[in-house]
């Protein structure tokens, strides 16, 4: 490299990059040295690798085994691993599994949790979501996203897709900043119809591409087909996914949104088309989606709360459509992945009266981990505990009143698990939850900021409104 011939702007950029790579893990500005080089998770009673090539059965399970990681990468999994230089985390009597992958969320929406609980999605959008959205400033976005990310870490999520609602640039920047500070791996799904492609490309280049934990997707709707078609073209150019809400409410069938996907060229994106909800699908739609290779985010708790309906999961599975699980923002009212998994199973059983219908316990554990990673195209990096993949993993303590005694632990994870059973969370090798507590000590300050932001919004919605319960 001949420094002399480089223009000063390139030298400055190189210096900034070198400084960034040597002082940051790209997640929160905290130094890489905030953890040991190697960590040995020792003597786990059960490791669910989600990799059948490593362990037994479809979940790839190992008993009485260890997992060794170095910085952000899983090095080895097996019995009696030796690493004298490693920091040891005892997992005796505990369960290790991949971190959960939440493939659909709107993280700022925690700011109006509990709102419009007697409305369906259209009432919720009109009475809660839209009025709040019109009043959002950077501080509200930042506070809501930070609160949601802590909630996600509590429940064991290590990757989240955050779908931003056509925010102006300043709000989108605040949103990304809060995601970065969380230490989570994230996908930021965003577009801004009022601004040109250049703005989106510059946003991606500046805020997403330099961060190894971040991925970019483009958002679009099916009503504005001109914008959707534009995003399809840009997605081809950038090789990113287009992320669209589809048929969440039964009345949306009259708008022919599947036809809009076809006309705009979105179905031609194949695996780069990610559809949220996709509840009210006709038989021919399911066939079409199966052929196209499009992928789906299923948010069962949200679908239930908003009276949206029950997705046709067994039929989609039969057509080979890849489906992962999402928590879907404020409408979920909680970031409880365990509740989401058992709801995904329960809705189908209640509908079909068949306890063997898709998804089973194994299916839903896969959907919440490797399946979600596959939907995002990140299965080469995350989703299973495979040497060489990123160290995104959680440790559960099953010795709790809601979980013990041991009978069939994979089933108990789904039917008994609660966020409180998540003892450790590692995202990209970095510890975000330890001994049942969030790392970083920011919990109180984040909750206070969220309370203040929610109070400001409530007051602006109704000047007579009293803050909180007083
Ligand atoms: Zn959504």
């Amino acid at each position: 490299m001949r420094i002399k011939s480089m223009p000063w702007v390139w030298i400055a950029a190189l210096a900034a990059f070198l400084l960034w790579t040597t002082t940051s893990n790209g997640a929160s500005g905290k130094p890489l040295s905030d953890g040991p080089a190697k960590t040995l998770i020792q003597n786990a009673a059960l490791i669910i690798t989600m990799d059948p090539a490593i362990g037994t059965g479809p979940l790839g399970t190992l008993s009485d085994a260890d997992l060794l990681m170095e910085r952000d990468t899983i090095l080895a999994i097996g019995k009696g691993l030796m690493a004298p230089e490693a920091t040891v985390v005892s997992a005796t009597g505990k369960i290790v599994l991949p971190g959960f992958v939440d493939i659909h969320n709107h993280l700022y929406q925690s700011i109006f949790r509990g709102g419009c609980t007697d409305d369906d999605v259209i009432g919720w959008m009109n009475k809660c979501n839209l009025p709040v959205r019109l009043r959002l400033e950077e501080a509200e976005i930042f506070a809501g996203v930070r609160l949601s990310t802590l909630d996600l870490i509590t429940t064991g999520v290590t990757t989240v897709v955050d779908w931003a609602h056509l925010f102006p640039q300043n709000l989108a920047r605040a949103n990304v900043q809060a995601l970065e500070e969380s230490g989570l791996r994230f996908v930021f799904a965003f577009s801004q119809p009022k601004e040109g492609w250049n703005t989106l490309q510059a946003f991606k280049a500046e805020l997403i591409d330099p961060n190894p934990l971040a991925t970019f997707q483009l958002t679009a709707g099916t009503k504005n087909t001109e914008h959707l078609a534009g995003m399809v073209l840009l997605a081809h150019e950038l090789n990113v996914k287009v992320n669209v809400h589809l048929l969440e409410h039964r009345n949306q069938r009259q708008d022919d949104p599947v036809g809009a996907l076809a006309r705009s060229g979105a179905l031609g994106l194949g695996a780069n088309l990610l559809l949220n909800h996709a509840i009210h699908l006709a038989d021919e739609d399911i066939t079409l989606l199966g052929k196209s290779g499009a992928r789906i985010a299923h948010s069962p708790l949200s679908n239930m709360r908003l009276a949206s309906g029950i997705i046709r999961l067994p039929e989609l599975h039969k057509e080979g459509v890849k489906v992962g699980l999402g928590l879907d923002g404020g409408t979920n009212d909680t970031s409880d992945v365990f509740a989401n998994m058992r709801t995904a199973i329960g809705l189908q059983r209640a509908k079909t009266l068949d306890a063997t219908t898709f998804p089973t316990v194994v299916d839903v554990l896969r959907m919440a981990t490797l399946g979600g990673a596959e939907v995002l195209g990140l299965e080469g990096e995350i989703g299973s505990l495979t040497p060489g993949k990123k160290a995104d993993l959680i440790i559960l303590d099953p010795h709790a009143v809601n979980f013990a005694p041991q009978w069939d632990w994979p089933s108990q994870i789904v039917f008994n698990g609660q966020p409180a059973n998540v003892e450790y969370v590692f995202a990209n090798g970095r510890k975000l939850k330890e001994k049942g507590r969030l790392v970083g000590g920011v919990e109180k300050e984040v909750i206070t900021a969220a309370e203040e932001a929610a109070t400001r919004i409530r007051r602006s919605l109704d000047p007579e409104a009293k803050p909180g319960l007083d």
Side-chain angles (χ1 to χ4, degrees):
M1 186 184 296
R2 291 185 303 129
I3 298 286
K4 267 186 183 173
S5 66
M6 294 174 75
W8 67 270
V9 283
W10 285 108
I11 296 171
L14 179 64
F17 176 75
L18 289 173
L19 184 70
W20 183 83
T21 52
T22 52
T23 60
S24 164
N25 65 359
S28 71
K30 291 198 174 169
L32 275 171
S33 58
D34 67 354
K38 286 186 183 173
T39 303
L40 180 64
I41 296 173
Q42 198 168 46
N43 195 33
L46 180 70
I47 300 183
I48 296 176
T49 67
M50 300 305 306
D51 186 343
I54 293 178
T56 308
L59 296 176
T61 56
L62 291 167
S63 299
D64 305 316
D66 310 320
L67 182 148
L68 179 65
M69 55 189 180
E70 182 169 27
R71 298 209 187 275
D72 61 355
T73 305
I74 297 168
L75 283 189
I77 297 173
K79 289 178 188 282
L81 296 182
M82 302 291 283
E85 73 282 23
T87 296
V88 172
V89 174
S90 171
T92 302
K94 293 170 186 169
I95 307 167
V96 179
L97 67 154
F100 295 123
V101 180
D102 169 14
I103 67 165
H104 186 61
N105 217 319
H106 308 271
L107 297 183
Y108 77 94
Q109 289 177 2
S110 57
I111 218 73
F112 58 104
R113 279 171 170 166
C116 299
T117 49
D118 292 331
D119 282 283
D120 67 7
V121 66
I122 292 170
W124 178 87
M125 285 293 283
N126 292 335
K127 291 189 222 163
C128 269
N129 185 290
L130 193 59
V132 168
R133 231 193 301 159
L134 293 173
R135 288 164 172 81
L136 292 171
E137 304 287 347
E138 287 105 318
E140 282 79 30
I141 293 284
F142 189 83
V145 175
R146 279 303 273 130
L147 181 66
S148 291
T149 54
L150 293 186
D151 200 20
L152 289 174
I153 294 164
T154 300
T155 196
V157 167
T158 50
T159 298
V160 61
V161 177
D162 194 5
W163 203 100
H165 270 287
L166 312 176
F167 290 155
Q169 283 266 342
N170 62 325
L171 299 193
R173 283 172 178 272
N175 195 326
V176 170
Q177 192 190 342
L179 282 164
E180 284 179 351
E181 293 204 5
S182 73
L184 289 168
R185 195 178 302 282
F186 65 91
V187 177
F188 191 63
F190 175 58
S191 74
Q192 181 45 267
K194 289 178 189 158
E195 297 181 23
W197 284 15
N198 288 349
T199 316
L200 283 170
Q201 283 171 299
F203 185 94
K204 176 176 176 288
E206 182 192 347
L207 294 170
I208 306 296
D209 293 345
N211 185 343
L213 295 187
T215 306
F216 190 70
Q217 292 178 353
L218 292 163
T219 54
T222 51
K223 278 196 170 177
N224 183 349
T225 44
E226 196 183 331
H227 178 244
L228 175 59
M231 291 303 100
V232 169
L233 292 176
L234 184 56
H236 280 299
E237 193 166 313
L238 300 177
N239 190 26
V240 299
K241 291 188 193 305
V242 172
N243 193 324
V244 178
H245 286 78
L246 183 78
L247 288 167
E248 183 173 3
H249 193 279
R250 62 191 181 284
N251 289 354
Q252 290 167 329
R253 279 211 67 81
Q254 68 202 24
D255 302 325
D256 187 24
V258 177
L261 291 177
R263 288 192 299 279
S264 64
L267 289 177
L269 286 166
N272 269 349
L273 178 63
L274 175 50
L275 302 167
N276 308 303
H277 305 299
I279 297 168
H280 301 284
L281 295 169
D283 291 345
E284 57 272 25
D285 300 332
I286 293 173
T287 308
L288 193 61
L289 294 182
K291 280 189 183 143
S292 77
R295 293 167 185 197
I296 291 178
H298 172 38
S299 299
L301 284 172
S302 167
N303 297 163
M304 205 164 63
R305 193 260 228 202
L306 291 169
S308 298
I310 301 176
I311 189 175
R312 300 178 64 188
L313 266 190
E315 293 92 333
L316 287 161
H317 179 64
K318 212 170 151 197
E319 288 294 327
V321 178
K322 289 186 187 298
V323 182
L325 295 179
L327 286 159
D328 197 23
T331 54
N332 239 342
D333 310 310
T334 171
S335 300
D336 183 339
V337 168
F338 303 94
N340 215 32
M341 287 193 290
R342 54 185 168 267
T343 306
I345 290 182
L347 284 176
Q348 300 304 326
R349 291 189 184 182
K351 182 182 170 189
T352 63
L353 309 183
D354 176 2
T356 65
T357 196
F358 182 88
T360 62
V361 163
V362 167
D363 296 327
V364 85
L365 281 169
R366 198 176 185 287
M367 287 167 77
T369 53
L370 185 59
E374 285 173 349
V375 169
L376 301 179
L378 295 175
E379 71 276 17
E381 279 185 72
I382 58 166
S384 68
L385 303 181
T386 304
K389 283 198 184 184
K390 297 298 179 188
D392 289 11
L393 59 99
I394 63 177
I395 304 177
L396 303 183
D397 183 357
H399 305 287
V401 290
N402 66 300
F403 207 119
Q406 182 175 4
W407 191 273
D408 173 3
W409 271 350
S411 292
Q412 286 166 272
I413 292 171
V414 173
F415 287 108
N416 296 78
Q418 293 177 6
N421 304 124
V422 179
E423 194 180 23
Y424 282 85
V425 176
F426 291 88
N428 208 41
R430 184 168 161 215
K431 210 185 301 169
L432 301 181
K433 190 176 183 185
E434 179 177 23
K435 296 179 182 168
R437 298 189 68 85
L438 291 163
V439 172
V442 295
E443 206 170 335
K444 276 189 184 164
E445 126 196 1
V446 168
I447 292 169
T448 302
E451 290 288 2
E452 289 170 359
T455 302
R456 279 197 297 278
I457 291 174
R458 268 205 318 278
R459 279 183 177 156
S460 77
L461 287 168
D462 175 7
E464 303 294 313
K466 298 273 192 297
L469 294 170
D470 55 10

